Amino acid sequence: SDLEDLHLYATPREQRFRRFASLEFEGQLYMTPYDFIQAVTSDEPKRKQEFYIDKIARADELNQILMETPPVWKGSSKLFRNLNEKGVISYTEYLFLLCILTKPHAGFRIAFNMFDTDGNEMVDKKEFLVLQEIFRKKNEKRERKGDEEKRAMLRLQLYGYHTSTNSVLKAEGEDLVPRSYWDTLRRSTSQALFSDLAERADDISSSLSDTTLLVHFFGKKGKAELNFEDFYRFMDNLQTEVLEIEFLSYSNGMNTISEEDFAHILLRYTNVENTSSYLENLRCTIPEEKGITFEEFRSFFQFLNNLEDFTIAMQMYNFASRSIGQDEFKRAVYVATGVKLSPHLVNTVFKIFDVDRDDQLSYKEFIGIMKDRLNRGFR
């Protein structure tokens, strides 16, 4: 009952992490790689939580789990699937991985530079651990008011620490503007702030248990450094792995999924209440099933990660009183994002969202729904 009470003090992201996390060490909850994949591709965990929280009693047990972690140069788009239950992911790393899933490839360099505080084109463990502190301090501002003892228990579960600290991130009026964790990271990476947090990084490191990501990036001794090529490959592999899992869950071993299955995946985690009207629209307008390949599927989600730039291009068409047909849509996608969508994929998207069947897209409705889908329900 105490655990259920804590749910009332948790944000939606915290609730989801707690629901899927299956490991506990020294009072702190962790996800396995399998848990993380489940959390971003499934609505509910496959197992009931009260039966599967596995308590790790000793540090050597934790180290035994981490022995399975390959070095970053051996990473692949099957990393999380191969590790399965042999790994630990903290709550702040869960937030970081969620950020990666929504970022365009062009943003990978920006992400790397945010960690590379000394500008030597390499990121070390100490620089990366500043991420922990930034996300942790952002959480303190978001904490729901109430029983201090319960909130302290929640902090211990998520961050492994007992008491709140004074936030160095808080600025005048900042609480009035809700920001994503990515925005917080970007806004919080001035040299001055990093210097302040980096001073504490040694303390953080000494009190922090190693995790799968830390071992993957910086080796079992924590002395290795991460270069941009390996960082880029890790981010690209993670995006690909999650998309492969979603695609394979519908493809049944085939090279394509049906247009209707594509619509199902697209409308998951969105604010669309009545998906049946969209699916019926698709059935009526594309009676002959041709199928969506994985390359088409992947290209669409690469486009979604560039949705902000695409929105600007679409608004330019709108302000010029131009309707958005399939040719304009395809051209706007390419100009804004550099992604070429196949004619069949564009036609399928139009048939899903073109409810009045005039072969024109209501860009406001489309973008609103896609923003929800991009952030997997955590917009």
Side-chain angles (χ1 to χ4, degrees):
S1 125
D2 276 350
L3 289 176
E4 286 306 309
D5 284 349
L6 290 186
H7 230 51
L8 301 174
Y9 297 92
T11 65
R13 275 193 180 91
E14 292 169 348
Q15 289 173 2
R16 192 164 187 82
F17 179 84
R18 293 179 74 247
R19 198 157 70 246
F20 282 84
S22 66
L23 293 178
E24 181 187 314
F25 178 62
E26 295 182 345
Q28 184 173 353
L29 293 179
Y30 294 91
M31 281 181 167
T32 65
Y34 175 84
D35 294 334
F36 175 76
I37 291 298
Q38 287 288 304
V40 296
T41 60
S42 304
D43 295 324
E44 293 292 335
K46 291 239 167 92
R47 298 162 292 188
K48 294 283 186 187
Q49 185 174 22
E50 58 265 28
F51 297 116
Y52 80 92
I53 286 287
D54 185 11
K55 293 193 177 184
I56 303 170
R58 302 188 314 273
D60 61 332
E61 291 180 46
L62 181 63
N63 290 334
Q64 191 60 40
I65 293 173
L66 294 172
M67 289 295 288
E68 306 286 333
T69 309
V72 70
W73 53 272
K74 280 191 176 179
S76 74
S77 63
K78 290 185 169 54
L79 174 69
F80 283 66
R81 282 172 285 185
N82 289 341
L83 287 171
N84 198 18
E85 303 282 6
K86 297 292 185 181
V88 292
I89 297 166
S90 70
Y91 177 62
T92 48
E93 290 170 342
Y94 166 71
L95 296 176
F96 170 61
L97 295 173
L98 286 182
C99 284
I100 289 176
L101 292 179
T102 64
K103 292 304 134 195
H105 286 190
F108 291 180
R109 168 59 79 173
I110 297 169
F112 182 81
N113 289 343
M114 288 193 297
F115 293 118
D116 180 21
T117 55
D118 57 13
N120 70 346
E121 295 294 309
M122 304 288 282
V123 170
D124 60 29
K125 186 176 179 180
K126 183 176 175 180
E127 288 173 316
F128 186 77
L129 284 177
V130 173
L131 169 81
Q132 305 271 114
E133 197 67 359
I134 289 173
F135 280 176
R136 186 154 72 176
K137 288 185 177 298
K138 177 174 179 58
N139 180 72
E140 287 170 8
K141 294 190 302 175
R142 283 190 165 184
E143 280 185 345
R144 297 187 176 175
K145 302 303 177 189
D147 187 324
E148 178 56 37
E149 184 182 345
K150 292 281 171 54
R151 287 194 289 130
M153 288 171 65
L154 189 60
R155 282 186 221 119
L156 175 61
Q157 277 194 349
L158 297 174
Y159 299 97
Y161 73 109
H162 292 272
T163 57
S164 179
T165 55
N166 292 326
S167 175
V168 299
L169 298 184
K170 193 166 182 178
E172 190 72 31
E174 191 174 343
D175 282 346
L176 301 177
V177 184
R179 298 190 181 280
S180 71
Y181 282 94
W182 189 265
D183 285 339
T184 299
L185 183 59
R186 190 177 63 226
R187 285 165 51 84
S188 303
T189 50
S190 68
Q191 282 298 135
L193 177 61
F194 256 126
S195 299
D196 180 60
L197 291 175
E199 286 178 7
R200 293 196 54 209
D202 286 330
D203 296 333
I204 301 166
S205 182
S206 63
S207 63
L208 194 72
S209 302
D210 264 340
T211 61
T212 296
L213 276 193
L214 292 176
V215 173
H216 186 57
F217 287 159
F218 307 109
K220 291 179 173 63
K221 294 182 179 178
K223 303 295 184 185
E225 292 186 310
L226 185 65
N227 62 40
F228 174 67
E229 287 71 26
D230 288 336
F231 185 71
Y232 181 100
R233 198 181 312 113
F234 171 80
M235 295 178 82
D236 185 47
N237 281 337
L238 179 64
Q239 289 188 356
T240 301
E241 181 160 14
V242 170
L243 291 177
E244 280 179 356
I245 290 166
E246 291 186 304
F247 185 87
L248 291 171
S249 68
Y250 282 90
S251 68
N252 297 318
M254 305 292 286
N255 292 327
T256 61
I257 59 174
S258 70
E259 288 79 2
E260 189 172 332
D261 287 340
F262 175 69
H264 274 293
I265 296 172
L266 206 54
L267 294 170
R268 283 185 71 196
Y269 310 116
T270 68
N271 55 8
V272 174
E273 292 180 4
N274 184 18
T275 59
S276 58
S277 62
Y278 290 93
L279 298 174
E280 182 59 33
N281 195 49
L282 182 65
R283 290 187 202 105
C284 293
T285 53
I286 306 186
E288 294 287 323
E289 184 179 304
K290 181 180 175 183
I292 303 291
T293 67
F294 179 70
E295 282 311 308
E296 288 177 314
F297 182 79
R298 188 183 185 202
S299 68
F300 185 82
F301 283 94
Q302 284 178 336
F303 146 65
L304 275 196
N305 285 354
N306 288 272
L307 196 62
E308 199 173 307
D309 292 336
F310 173 75
T311 303
I312 295 169
M314 290 287 269
Q315 285 172 338
M316 290 174 68
Y317 280 120
N318 189 56
F319 294 150
S321 299
R322 293 187 57 174
S323 58
I324 305 296
Q326 293 193 27
D327 288 341
E328 287 88 357
F329 179 83
K330 194 161 55 172
R331 188 158 56 249
V333 170
Y334 180 67
V335 169
T337 70
V339 176
K340 285 187 176 180
L341 301 181
S342 72
H344 175 60
L345 182 64
V346 173
N347 184 50
T348 302
V349 170
F350 264 66
K351 296 313 185 215
I352 296 170
F353 291 99
D354 179 20
V355 180
D356 57 6
R357 302 186 189 179
D358 64 352
D359 210 27
Q360 304 290 311
L361 198 68
S362 166
Y363 92 96
K364 282 186 178 177
E365 183 183 21
F366 170 76
I367 285 174
I369 294 172
M370 288 302 95
K371 279 183 178 175
D372 275 339
R373 179 57 180 85
L374 175 65
N375 291 286
R376 296 172 180 268
F378 289 126
R379 185 176 164 192

